Amino acid sequence: DFSELAIVLEPAHLGADGKKRLQASQRAWLGYRYSACLYETGPREESGSIWPMQNALCQATLTRQRNQILKTYVACRQDGCP
């Protein structure tokens, strides 16, 4: 989960500039996740009582995918890695 990745993605591993870029990327990704799930599940007022469950499932799915991407960043040790 992200809390485990956050320990690995410390400034010592990234450097100050890398940490800033990762934070900016995460902020942008959170906006993407919100918008993508809103598109997928629709607005709450149009979806009824199942919306919270659908939205939570969407967010969990996208978060798992993002965590896999972050794990590849941690594992990457070659030139050209983010």
Side-chain angles (χ1 to χ4, degrees), residues 33-82:
R33 183 183 70 175
Y34 172 80
S35 296
C37 289
L38 182 61
Y39 172 75
E40 185 177 313
T41 62
R44 181 181 193 130
E45 54 276 359
E46 294 177 11
S47 300
S49 62
I50 197 163
W51 184 87
M53 184 177 68
Q54 290 175 324
N55 193 53
L57 179 62
C58 178
Q59 288 189 20
T61 299
L62 292 179
T63 299
R64 280 191 297 275
Q65 292 171 357
R66 178 65 176 170
N67 284 345
Q68 288 302 316
I69 291 168
L70 292 173
K71 286 178 184 179
T72 64
Y73 293 167
V74 171
C76 188
R77 300 283 186 233
Q78 300 172 3
D79 290 339
C81 294

Side-chain angles (χ1 to χ4, degrees), residues 1-11 13-14 22 26 63-75:
D1 90 332
F2 185 75
S3 61
E4 293 170 0
L5 288 171
I7 294 169
V8 177
L9 295 171
E10 293 275 325
H13 294 45
L14 297 173
L22 178 62
Q26 279 300 104
T63 299
R64 280 191 297 275
Q65 292 171 357
R66 178 65 176 170
N67 284 345
Q68 288 302 316
I69 291 168
L70 292 173
K71 286 178 184 179
T72 64
Y73 293 167
V74 171

